[in-house]
Amino acid sequence: MADPQIREATRIVEAASNARPAVIRSFFDEDTFTVTHVISDPATAKAAIIDSVLDFDPASGRTSFASADKVIDYIRSEGLEVEWLLETHAHADHLSAAPYLQEKLGGTLAIGRHILTVQEVFGKIFNEGTRFARDGSQFDRLFDDGDRFRVGSIEAIALHVPGHTPADMTYVIGDAAFIGDTLFMPDYGTARADFPGGDARTLYRSICRLLSLPDQTGLHLCHDYKAPGRDTYAWETSVGEEREHNVHVRDGVSEDQFVAMREARDATLGMPRLILPSIQVNMRGGHLPEPEDNGMRYLKLPINAL
């Protein structure tokens, strides 16, 4: 295996099979089809929260915290200490609740370093001007590919898996990989790659990288939309299941075949319902835009931009 980061991730996964297993509790928000994961170390009661949701009503412009409060209630009822608030990427389908959770629970807010690319691209689209910092300073830590960290005593590694967006990250924590939008359940396929900075060929190569992890590696997804014929939501699979059954990228699907399929499929898709508010907030680490001179905060709606 030539990829040193994947080699290290493989070591972490295999070592975890001999250790006390982590506890994973997932929260599904049906309004945005988003899954927030909490992974905790039973030996230390330390935890990480991955891809949280801030409730947002686009018709009224109101935010609320019901989804995040469920996570808070769970953390407190289990006596957990939050070490990390992890974002797999700047989501286009929901707003992050990370600042609210950090205020209530603490923890280090982290994302991949390539958020700087997203900030630069969307800073221009939203005409943010000089008040909007494009240096990732809205986050506490920017991960590079291969950066190591821990959740309590559980070893973890951050992997850069671009293609859906330039900044997508997977977090391998013990024998669990939290992969954001890169893959969905095997019967639903893979992420789209037509957002600014996305690329289907890059996505294929990132997926191949993830699917070179051990077959038993648990894959924990950020979304599920229920594939045709399936009546229940699901968000947990494995490397082995994806390699054998993924309808877009199972073993035997070539890069050129995938790119042709993905680009044709993406051309038929509309923009996510919350993409414009989500990106404006999430590129700021979940913070709302600064108040204007009347004390009000505003989200912009660029016309014919996307």
Side-chain angles (χ1 to χ4, degrees), residues 215-278:
D215 281 356
Q216 72 269 23
T217 308
L219 301 181
H220 300 264
L221 316 180
C222 188
H223 296 286
D224 186 55
Y225 305 97
K226 287 197 296 192
R230 176 156 53 86
D231 296 327
T232 58
Y233 293 107
W235 47 80
E236 183 176 351
T237 180
S238 70
V239 166
E241 289 171 350
E242 294 282 7
R243 291 185 60 172
E244 186 173 356
H245 298 297
N246 189 283
V247 294
H248 293 167
V249 73
R250 63 191 174 276
D251 285 354
V253 175
S254 72
E255 183 173 315
D256 287 343
Q257 288 173 324
F258 175 81
V259 170
M261 177 282 302
R262 189 69 266 170
E263 290 181 347
R265 181 176 172 82
D266 289 349
T268 70
L269 301 177
M271 287 290 100
R273 177 174 63 98
L274 295 179
I275 184 171
L276 295 175
S278 294

Side-chain angles (χ1 to χ4, degrees), residues 4 9 12 43 62 108 134 191 201 208 224 291 298:
I12 289 171
R62 291 190 176 276
T108 297
R134 295 161 170 82
R201 199 166 296 278
C208 288
D224 186 55
Y298 292 89

Side-chain angles (χ1 to χ4, degrees), residues 9 12 19 33 39 61 105 135 146 183 188 209 238 251 277 283 298:
I12 289 171
F33 307 102
I39 181 169
L105 301 171
D135 58 2
L183 287 165
Y188 200 86
R209 195 175 186 223
S238 70
D251 285 354
M283 70 183 185
Y298 292 89

Side-chain angles (χ1 to χ4, degrees), residues 26-39:
S26 301
F27 299 82
F28 184 68
D29 175 54
E30 192 166 350
D31 184 58
T32 61
F33 307 102
T34 301
V35 190
T36 298
H37 303 286
V38 178
I39 181 169

Side-chain angles (χ1 to χ4, degrees), residues 56-67:
F56 178 71
D57 175 22
S60 66
R62 291 190 176 276
T63 60
S64 56
F65 305 103
S67 295

Side-chain angles (χ1 to χ4, degrees), residues 124-276:
K124 292 177 181 176
I125 290 174
F126 291 113
N127 195 31
E128 291 291 350
T130 57
R131 289 205 307 168
F132 172 56
R134 295 161 170 82
D135 58 2
S137 57
Q138 300 87 347
F139 300 85
D140 301 317
R141 178 162 176 184
L142 302 180
F143 282 118
D144 291 306
D145 186 44
D147 277 355
R148 298 279 305 282
F149 64 105
R150 287 178 177 269
V151 177
S153 62
I154 302 172
E155 291 186 278
I157 189 170
L159 301 174
H160 183 217
V161 287
H164 173 56
T165 79
D168 283 68
M169 300 298 291
T170 283
Y171 302 108
V172 178
I173 305 172
D175 61 358
F178 299 88
I179 64 173
D181 294 6
T182 306
L183 287 165
F184 298 127
M185 292 300 291
D187 59 358
Y188 200 86
T190 62
R192 64 194 297 170
D194 60 332
F195 294 152
D199 180 76
R201 199 166 296 278
T202 301
L203 177 61
Y204 179 87
R205 295 172 184 177
S206 291
I207 290 170
C208 288
R209 195 175 186 223
L210 287 179
L211 296 186
S212 66
L213 291 169
D215 281 356
Q216 72 269 23
T217 308
L219 301 181
H220 300 264
L221 316 180
C222 188
H223 296 286
D224 186 55
Y225 305 97
K226 287 197 296 192
R230 176 156 53 86
D231 296 327
T232 58
Y233 293 107
W235 47 80
E236 183 176 351
T237 180
S238 70
V239 166
E241 289 171 350
E242 294 282 7
R243 291 185 60 172
E244 186 173 356
H245 298 297
N246 189 283
V247 294
H248 293 167
V249 73
R250 63 191 174 276
D251 285 354
V253 175
S254 72
E255 183 173 315
D256 287 343
Q257 288 173 324
F258 175 81
V259 170
M261 177 282 302
R262 189 69 266 170
E263 290 181 347
R265 181 176 172 82
D266 289 349
T268 70
L269 301 177
M271 287 290 100
R273 177 174 63 98
L274 295 179
I275 184 171
L276 295 175

Side-chain angles (χ1 to χ4, degrees), residues 49 82-86 102 106-110 139-141 143:
I49 301 172
V82 174
E83 288 190 304
W84 295 98
L85 300 157
L86 301 174
Q102 189 174 47
T108 297
L109 174 57
F139 300 85
D140 301 317
R141 178 162 176 184
F143 282 118

